[in-house]
Amino acid sequence: MPRFLPSLLLALLVSACSDGDPCSQAPRCDDSEALNCETACTVGPCSTGAIFQECDQGTTCTVVPGDRGDARFYRSRAVCARSLTACDPATAPEPVCEDGRFVTGCGAHHRDIRAFCSQAALYFAKVPACCVTGPGDGGTDAGTDGGTGDGGIPDAGPGPSDAGR
């Protein structure tokens, strides 16, 4: 067996594994599709794993930076933006549900976005009641998310899966 064969096999194995994991490439935009990856959820509603969202209904995929000073919204995200202009979630109207599956409004990343209800807690400080489904625990987390107040958003537990593909 040639000497270089084990090194070649190792290089092929490493490259094959990294290309097959979409989470290693998140957040990103592929044409009109947003890709994000969530390994764990501390506030619901939220789904884990690779989340693909088609940016349609007049939205544009863009990657927005997170707020490094915020324990909940510190991650950069690929979002389906209804407008690329920055907005202020503190002064904007509350987010609203659309078709029972999506939520729209000015998100914590300062963009007017459209997101899955099942991912609402990753984008909005206040999740609309129509997105909170399932039995939940009645919000017994006392409104905390890693020590940061979340406004008492109840943990909804696993809701219906609508995370794209």
Side-chain angles (χ1 to χ4, degrees), residues 43-45 131-141 153-160:
V43 176
C131 285
V132 181
T133 59
D137 63 7
T140 59
D141 66 355
I153 299 169
D155 275 339

Side-chain angles (χ1 to χ4, degrees), residues 4-165:
F4 67 90
L5 190 57
S7 297
L8 179 63
L9 289 173
L10 181 61
L12 287 173
L13 180 63
V14 168
S15 67
C17 291
S18 64
D19 289 342
D21 179 16
C23 286
S24 68
Q25 303 164 15
R28 79 163 196 234
C29 292
D30 284 333
D31 296 320
S32 64
E33 184 176 63
L35 166 64
N36 289 289
C37 191
E38 198 61 36
T39 56
C41 298
T42 57
V43 176
C46 172
S47 304
T48 58
I51 309 298
F52 296 88
Q53 181 180 349
E54 187 67 30
C55 293
D56 54 6
Q57 303 292 318
T59 62
T60 303
C61 187
T62 187
V63 176
V64 292
D67 179 354
R68 298 289 178 208
D70 190 309
R72 183 167 163 195
F73 300 111
Y74 67 93
R75 285 194 178 137
S76 295
R77 300 275 181 200
V79 299
C80 292
R82 297 188 316 166
S83 170
L84 297 178
T85 305
C87 62
D88 182 3
T91 60
E94 291 187 10
V96 296
C97 287
E98 177 185 288
D99 299 333
R101 187 172 175 214
F102 293 94
V103 60
T104 59
C106 183
H109 294 85
H110 300 274
R111 295 296 183 278
D112 185 11
I113 64 168
R114 181 175 190 255
F116 289 121
C117 264
S118 65
Q119 299 301 110
L122 300 175
Y123 300 98
F124 299 98
K126 184 171 182 181
V127 177
C130 54
C131 285
V132 181
T133 59
D137 63 7
T140 59
D141 66 355
T144 61
D145 174 24
T148 302
D150 67 5
I153 299 169
D155 275 339
S161 176
D162 63 1
R165 40 179 166 164

